[in-house]
Amino acid sequence: MEKFTLPIQVRWSDIDQNRHLRHSAYYDYGATTRIACFSQHGLTNLKFEELHIGPILFREEALFKREIKFEDKITVDLVVTKASQDFSRWSIRHHFFKEDGTLSAIINMDGAWIDMGKRKLAIPNEFIQTVFSDFPRSEDFVWITKN
């Protein structure tokens, strides 16, 4: 499967005093891309409520390459870089591209699933496992092995 991509409209409220995209907006745009990808593949908020499960982040790291300004048109992609066989743990990478193809930033993040009732980490059901198995994978994708 090809990378999931989402065009993003840079908002004025996401610009800092140096007239470029503020650092925390990158994380917001990454989250927006993830949720759009989840939703497009059937993992909607209603489905998460029905299953009493949700995604949780352990780590999120941004690497800034080129500044993004208010007038820039950007696209954010999503690929899975790591996953356990049951998809209970996973890592995702986002690339931020300007319209001319310039790579502006990379976000790497590690996540898992939380049982919303027990407030404990959970193994996702077969539906989520099937959906996640169809997500685009990076060229350097690896399976996570549990000890």
Side-chain angles (χ1 to χ4, degrees):
M1 173 185 257
E2 291 185 30
K3 291 179 185 176
F4 177 86
T5 60
L6 185 69
I8 300 283
Q9 174 65 53
V10 176
R11 301 175 310 176
W12 177 252
S13 60
D14 292 334
I15 301 300
D16 68 13
Q17 65 186 6
N18 296 320
R19 295 188 306 273
H20 62 239
L21 193 63
R22 65 180 160 75
H23 70 284
S24 57
Y26 288 87
Y27 296 109
D28 293 340
Y29 292 169
T32 296
T33 302
R34 282 191 303 281
I35 297 305
C37 182
F38 289 3
S39 189
Q40 191 175 91
H41 288 88
L43 296 175
T44 63
N45 281 333
L46 286 175
K47 190 66 172 178
F48 285 139
E49 283 182 34
E50 175 189 320
L51 298 173
H52 305 286
I53 199 166
I56 187 169
L57 301 184
F58 296 126
R59 178 186 70 92
E60 196 169 22
E61 163 195 60
L63 306 169
F64 304 107
K65 303 289 190 180
R66 297 285 183 265
E67 66 182 355
I68 294 174
K69 297 179 182 171
F70 178 66
E71 295 82 9
D72 290 335
K73 295 180 181 170
I74 63 169
T75 301
V76 181
D77 69 17
L78 177 152
V79 290
V80 177
T81 60
K82 296 181 208 171
S84 58
Q85 292 288 331
D86 61 6
F87 294 97
S88 61
R89 305 286 189 280
W90 34 268
S91 296
I92 289 174
R93 180 181 303 136
H94 297 291
H95 298 96
F96 289 65
F97 292 102
K98 292 186 184 185
E99 191 173 33
D100 66 1
T102 300
L103 177 62
S104 295
I106 301 167
I107 291 181
N108 294 300
M109 48 85 51
D110 301 324
W113 300 102
I114 187 169
D115 180 305
M116 298 303 288
K118 296 176 183 174
R119 307 304 290 179
K120 294 189 181 275
L121 295 178
I123 295 173
N125 72 3
E126 189 176 322
F127 176 77
I128 293 175
Q129 289 181 24
T130 300
V131 169
F132 237 74
S133 71
D134 287 339
F135 278 4
R137 297 182 185 166
S138 65
E139 292 179 8
D140 60 345
F141 176 86
V142 294
W143 290 106
I144 299 169
T145 54
K146 294 182 180 180
N147 296 357

